[in-house]
Amino acid sequence: NYFSLGLDARVGIGFDKLRRKGQLQNKGIYAWEGTKKLLFKKKNMVSNIVDRLSVLRANEELGKARDGHDQGIEDAQVFTTSSGKSSDGALGTKLLGNPVNLIFMNIPSISGGLNLWNWSNRNMGTDGPRDLLQAGQDFADGKLECLAYRTATGFYMEQLRVPPVSGRGHRVYSGGGPLRLKFRSPDDAEYIKGTSHCGGRTYMEIDGEYFVVHEPDTLIVRHHCVIRVLVNSSTKAACNSA
């Protein structure tokens, strides 16, 4: 349902180490871990570790975990963090700033009910077309959405759930998949700059399960399967377009 890399996953790993049975205790532990990472720890910044995000050709078969990692099957580029030009001399769409995380999702409720995509309709995460700000979210449309947060404060203010105080995400992508995230080489100067404090580790999360990857090369984000669900038609679903 959602996947992220960056600050929120790093906070989650620290939280998992200290998790307790009580909900109130756990909220306090999560707040403490977030405060530590926000104020006292150096952060992995996305532009230091990620080279580009691309869409793969729709007809590619991805039946196995190893499928989709070849560069030759990229169809379109979503963004690049490089300052150079592509092979045809064109400047690619750039990721703006140096975000603290990237979040991929196809549902309107993550991290305890946060409707991040629909709240975050004011800011672009790339220098691409701004009509992305008008894109709604529907978990049945087969699309994937991607948000970036420029600051840790902006991400954790989402917990207030009061737009416009919340809704600090920057929209990066909404469309079909699979998506291929290419990381910088471990020998790249930017990668070393961004990960030297943590020994080359990149922090990731899938549906609230946190893990660490050492010097990743590529990562594929795709739909795995479709299931039927019941939706209460008497109230407006949170995933409907505004």
Side-chain angles (χ1 to χ4, degrees):
N1 289 334
Y2 65 93
F3 161 80
S4 69
L5 64 90
L7 178 70
D8 51 314
R10 187 175 185 186
V11 171
I13 287 176
F15 165 71
D16 265 353
K17 294 177 181 178
L18 302 172
R19 188 192 294 266
R20 299 291 185 269
K21 293 182 178 180
Q23 184 180 23
L24 186 60
Q25 285 179 304
N26 284 333
K27 286 186 176 181
I29 292 170
Y30 192 85
W32 168 242
E33 286 297 318
T35 301
K36 284 198 305 182
K37 303 304 188 293
L38 176 63
L39 299 178
F40 308 118
K41 298 288 187 179
K42 189 174 180 180
K43 306 169 188 64
N44 291 59
M45 308 300 283
V46 170
S47 293
N48 292 116
I49 61 176
V50 171
D51 180 66
R52 64 184 181 274
L53 177 67
S54 305
V55 183
L56 301 186
R57 292 198 294 265
N59 61 351
E60 289 295 328
E61 292 293 332
L62 301 178
K64 299 178 181 179
R66 67 173 181 266
D67 295 338
H69 293 272
D70 298 325
Q71 182 176 349
I73 64 173
E74 292 181 357
D75 183 45
Q77 185 173 272
V78 177
F79 71 73
T80 178
T81 62
S82 172
S83 59
K85 296 182 179 181
S86 62
S87 57
D88 59 4
L91 290 172
T93 299
K94 296 294 190 298
L95 181 69
L96 298 177
N98 199 355
V100 297
N101 65 354
L102 282 179
I103 303 176
F104 298 84
M105 68 198 90
N106 70 333
I107 59 172
S109 176
I110 72 173
S111 297
L114 303 181
N115 192 356
L116 299 183
W117 180 263
N118 287 323
W119 292 346
S120 300
N121 58 5
R122 303 188 302 272
N123 300 307
M124 287 290 294
T126 72
D127 59 1
R130 292 184 62 84
D131 56 0
L132 180 62
L133 297 178
Q134 308 303 318
Q137 187 182 49
D138 187 330
F139 56 68
D141 62 7
K143 294 181 179 179
L144 297 169
E145 282 76 40
C146 178
L147 283 176
Y149 281 84
R150 299 278 185 84
T151 67
T153 301
F155 177 73
Y156 287 109
M157 285 180 70
E158 302 289 17
Q159 292 292 340
L160 298 177
R161 304 168 191 245
V162 183
V165 178
S166 55
R168 300 301 181 96
H170 291 68
R171 291 192 175 187
V172 173
Y173 179 76
S174 176
L179 300 176
R180 180 180 186 265
L181 198 63
K182 172 63 177 176
F183 293 86
R184 292 179 181 270
S185 166
D187 298 324
D188 186 283
E190 287 296 321
Y191 187 89
I192 295 172
K193 177 182 176 181
T195 63
S196 59
H197 63 283
C198 60
R201 294 189 295 273
T202 298
Y203 301 88
M204 301 183 182
E205 170 193 5
I206 299 177
D207 288 352
E209 298 295 327
Y210 308 99
F211 56 99
V212 177
V213 179
H214 186 73
E215 297 182 355
D217 180 60
T218 55
L219 184 148
I220 306 299
V221 181
R222 66 184 178 90
H223 284 286
H224 176 62
C225 64
V226 177
I227 62 173
R228 294 181 180 273
V229 297
L230 296 176
V231 177
N232 185 354
S233 60
S234 64
T235 58
K236 185 176 180 180
C239 62
N240 288 346
S241 301

